[in-house]
Amino acid sequence: MSPEMAKTDEEWRRQLTPEQFRVLRQKGTERAFTGKYVDAKDDGTYRCAACGAALFMSGTKFESGTGWPSFTEPAVAEAVELIKDRSHGMVRTEVVCRNCGGHLGHVFDDGPGPGGQRFCINSASLDLDTDAPPPLPGV
Ligand code: FE
């Protein structure tokens, strides 16, 4: 984690919405099919909603039917940290933003791509940057 990202809960609470705080800082999970990016198909870069780090690219997003945005791989491997998670009586692999330590979701090995991974990510942890080109002058 970057040293400047060592914020207190109070600082994160001021910066994030209550739902973002619950997911990113308290490892919560949004209810399936309720997140704003479940069906999103816009092109762009999915950034961390807490720190802005580029996490996932729209080209790797796929329809998983799970109710959470799903990706076959991170934008770059270094963007995320994978942590063994034994909570709730399961053994899972938690996905965390490497830059700020924010909880993103979990990764499973039943994905459709060549890597076989399914990154199951909360919409609340993401901020889609559509990289819209500037309007042409005179149009
Ligand atoms: Fe982050």
Side-chain angles (χ1 to χ4, degrees):
M1 193 175 72
S2 304
E4 68 269 24
M5 287 294 141
K7 299 186 184 186
T8 65
D9 273 359
E10 199 43 53
E11 289 173 305
W12 283 122
R13 268 187 208 279
R14 275 200 297 272
Q15 179 185 332
L16 302 171
T17 68
E19 175 72 350
Q20 287 173 332
F21 182 84
R22 188 180 73 80
V23 173
L24 281 156
R25 305 310 310 176
Q26 299 185 313
K27 303 188 187 301
T29 300
E30 68 197 13
R31 284 182 32 236
F33 300 102
T34 64
K36 61 180 173 178
Y37 295 130
V38 176
D39 298 318
K41 294 190 173 54
D42 298 318
D43 291 335
T45 301
Y46 285 88
R47 297 183 177 279
C48 176
C51 77
L55 298 176
F56 297 95
M57 305 302 290
S58 59
T60 70
K61 191 173 186 288
F62 67 97
E63 298 270 359
S64 65
T66 59
W68 291 280
S70 301
F71 304 87
T72 56
E73 60 184 3
V76 291
E78 297 75 28
V80 299
E81 186 173 357
L82 306 181
I83 300 171
K84 185 81 79 180
D85 173 11
R86 296 179 179 279
S87 66
H88 304 289
M90 296 176 273
V91 180
R92 294 178 294 172
T93 303
E94 181 190 3
V95 183
V96 169
C97 173
R98 188 180 294 276
N99 187 49
C100 75
H103 173 78
L104 305 175
H106 290 85
V107 60
F108 303 92
D109 59 7
D110 57 5
Q117 291 187 306
R118 170 172 59 94
F119 286 81
C120 184
I121 305 298
N122 291 282
S123 294
S125 300
L126 299 174
D127 197 2
L128 177 57
D129 179 353
T130 52
D131 300 322
L136 296 172
V139 174

